[in-house]
Amino acid sequence: MMPKVVHSFHEPEDAVDVENGTVDTAVDVVTKEDHGEEALHLSESDGNKGSRMLLYFTTFSRFAVASFLTSAGCHVIPAVYLDTPTQDFKYASIFFILATGLLIVNAMIDFFQARGVVARTNAFLHILAPAVLEAGSISLYPGINKSGQPLAQYFFLVGTTIVCVAVFWDIGRLLHRGSAVSIASIVSQFSVIVGAVNFNYGTAFLMPEYLTSDPAIAKGGRFFVAGGVCFFVNAFATLSDKF
């Protein structure tokens, strides 16, 4: 009589039980790890896409800012605004409002990306400056300012001064860190300063004592246009530096 052969199969603990529909524990762990890595990669990819989109927005919106500022400057010149339906600073005000509004959005994006107290304080000045300029732009709109005071001009003078302080602080921080600075970045920074100085100087020709003189107002408008051109230089330099 042949001995009975017993085939003994030791079922692994982590095998799949088809009848009970249970899932292999080891496979489940690996699958979870794979999904975790995949989710991490997707999260990083989404974050990179978001950062890239913000970079595109803050860079290319500078061209819109420069266009609005230049258009606003043109509509300060009497030969231009006297041909508009309202024959006043209405359209200049609208273009200034659009430009400073975009500057505020860009500055807020930079603020939330800044790290550290010093960087955030510096970034806050970049929000404060266009906010003050926005107030001036609204005050310039006909019928808004009923105080009898040149509020728009005052806001413009203060706002452009804050712009210069904020940008000089940016430059000082870069020099303090000893960071390598590209030529495009230097051109970008100083074009903003020169633009702000042009707007500041142009505002002086819109003070009440000059508002009765069309040549003086025209001179102020031309300084505004020059300031807008400086922001075009800033836009191109930033584009070159970032891309």
Side-chain angles (χ1 to χ4, degrees):
M1 182 177 178
M2 295 289 295
K4 184 177 180 182
V5 178
V6 179
H7 297 282
S8 176
F9 295 94
H10 177 66
E11 184 178 11
E13 294 179 1
D14 294 329
V16 178
D17 187 342
V18 178
E19 293 181 0
N20 296 328
T22 58
V23 182
D24 182 340
T25 306
V27 173
D28 189 41
V29 170
V30 172
T31 303
K32 286 180 180 179
E33 289 178 353
D34 289 343
H35 284 313
E37 291 179 2
E38 183 180 352
L40 179 61
H41 288 314
L42 287 174
S43 176
E44 290 176 350
S45 177
D46 290 342
N48 290 335
K49 286 180 181 178
S51 298
R52 198 71 176 170
M53 289 300 294
L54 286 177
L55 179 61
Y56 282 129
F57 176 80
T58 56
T59 301
F60 288 99
S61 63
R62 292 171 187 264
F63 289 95
V65 169
S67 299
F68 290 143
L69 290 176
T70 305
S71 298
C74 289
H75 283 84
V76 168
I77 299 172
V80 176
Y81 76 70
L82 289 176
D83 284 338
T84 64
T86 56
Q87 296 187 341
D88 53 24
F89 291 149
K90 176 181 178 179
Y91 293 96
S93 170
I94 291 172
F95 284 123
F96 276 133
I97 289 170
L98 293 172
T100 51
L102 268 177
L103 286 173
I104 291 172
V105 173
N106 285 348
M108 290 183 69
I109 291 172
D110 291 339
F111 176 81
F112 288 113
Q113 291 178 337
R115 295 291 179 269
V117 176
V118 174
R120 285 215 162 185
T121 304
N122 192 177
F124 175 74
L125 285 182
H126 283 284
I127 297 175
L128 180 61
V132 173
L133 292 172
E134 181 84 346
S137 303
I138 294 171
S139 300
L140 188 64
Y141 193 91
I144 296 295
N145 178 22
K146 298 179 180 179
S147 67
Q149 299 296 319
L151 295 182
Q153 290 87 327
Y154 291 153
F155 281 128
F156 283 159
L157 291 173
V158 173
T160 51
T161 301
I162 297 174
V163 169
C164 292
V165 172
V167 177
F168 273 122
W169 194 354
D170 284 332
I171 296 170
R173 287 173 52 227
L174 287 172
L175 294 175
H176 179 71
R177 289 202 304 262
S179 305
V181 183
S182 65
I183 298 297
S185 179
I186 294 172
V187 172
S188 174
Q189 299 279 18
F190 278 97
S191 60
V192 171
I193 294 172
V194 176
V197 169
N198 271 280
F199 278 105
N200 191 287
Y201 196 62
T203 300
F205 289 97
L206 297 184
M207 297 304 284
E209 57 268 29
Y210 292 111
L211 288 179
T212 56
S213 170
D214 284 353
I217 297 173
K219 185 179 290 187
R222 286 193 289 270
F223 276 111
F224 285 164
V225 172
V229 172
C230 288
F231 275 85
F232 270 116
V233 173
N234 168 262
F236 280 111
T238 302
L239 182 64
S240 174
D241 188 44
K242 301 297 184 183
F243 299 95

